[in-house]
Amino acid sequence: MIASTRFIPVALAGFFLSVLASVSVAQSSSETPLPNPQVTITTNVGAISVRLFRDKAPLAVENFLAYVDDGFYDGTIFHRVIPNFMIQGGGLTPDMVEKPVGEPVINESKNRLHNVRGTLAMARTSDPDSATAQFFINQRTNLRLDWQPGAPGYTVFGEVIDGMSTVDYISTSPVQAIGPHGNVPIDAVIITKIERKSLL
């Protein structure tokens, strides 16, 4: 913002400040948006701290937090790991059993958030509105996954704020194919817990 060069007489400055203060209080009391929450993804190879974009992807964030609060992710794995691309998890157990999930959420990839390195996005099938519990973390910038006219993208709903070294480490895991699943880490990368962080 460019600072104004307009002069305000000293005698009126206090008055204007008091008015602005009262307006700010009134606005803050009537507009109380929820903060963007944070979670910690704890794995058997390290922790990843994440800020969720509730203001940009409210449906995806509330869906994700519902699974978090239910303990759904505890004991699941990162089952699809591709170096220089992304790591995907949150839906399968170490014995490659897919956990039952709830209803899918509507795609929010038009929220102008980009699939850049360190962001979280909802995994889905070819149906844009099929995302449920699985998510992925972009290990590099993957703008081809963004929304484009005529091509729905993958909804970005958070970003890593600490622990990208853990993401990078997971991305180098030796992998194998297990049944229909390719790029499965030979040594299971287990999500031991995902929990909310207190913002207080």
Side-chain angles (χ1 to χ4, degrees):
M1 180 181 294
I2 299 174
S4 173
T5 57
R6 186 169 297 171
F7 175 75
I8 299 176
V10 174
L12 295 177
F15 171 74
F16 286 137
L17 288 174
S18 63
V19 170
L20 287 172
S22 62
V23 170
S24 297
V25 170
Q27 286 180 339
S28 62
S29 63
S30 62
E31 300 173 11
T32 54
L34 294 171
N36 282 333
Q38 296 180 20
V39 299
T40 300
I41 303 172
T42 303
T43 78
N44 61 335
V45 295
I48 306 164
S49 295
V50 173
R51 176 185 294 111
L52 303 175
F53 299 132
R54 177 187 267 140
D55 55 336
K56 299 291 187 181
L59 300 179
V61 169
E62 293 310 315
N63 172 75
F64 179 76
L65 287 176
Y67 285 109
V68 168
D69 293 342
D70 194 44
F72 175 91
Y73 293 116
D74 303 354
T76 60
I77 61 172
F78 280 101
H79 65 274
R80 184 169 177 242
V81 169
I82 303 176
N84 202 32
F85 181 34
M86 60 90 222
I87 62 173
Q88 178 178 335
L92 279 71
T93 61
D95 53 0
M96 299 304 291
V97 173
E98 191 163 352
K99 297 185 69 171
V101 295
E103 293 297 314
V105 294
I106 295 172
N107 189 295
E108 297 173 286
S109 63
K110 292 178 70 174
N111 60 9
R112 300 183 186 277
L113 295 178
H114 300 288
N115 282 274
V116 297
R117 173 174 161 81
T119 53
L120 271 72
M122 296 300 301
R124 61 171 176 79
T125 67
S126 57
D127 177 355
D129 299 321
S130 61
T132 53
Q134 292 188 33
F135 61 92
F136 62 91
I137 302 175
N138 286 292
Q139 199 247 335
R140 72 164 192 185
T141 294
N142 298 302
L143 297 182
R144 63 187 176 85
L145 302 180
D146 289 356
W147 176 89
Q148 300 176 41
Y154 291 78
T155 302
V156 171
F157 69 99
E159 66 177 348
V160 174
I161 55 177
D162 189 37
M164 273 306 292
S165 59
T166 298
V167 175
D168 289 334
Y169 179 77
I170 293 171
S171 74
T172 65
S173 301
V175 297
Q176 61 186 334
I178 300 180
H181 301 283
N183 306 109
V184 181
I186 294 173
D187 297 319
V189 179
I190 301 172
I191 298 172
T192 56
K193 181 177 285 295
I194 302 183
E195 55 190 343
R196 297 191 193 223
K197 293 178 66 175
S198 172
L199 299 182
L200 300 179

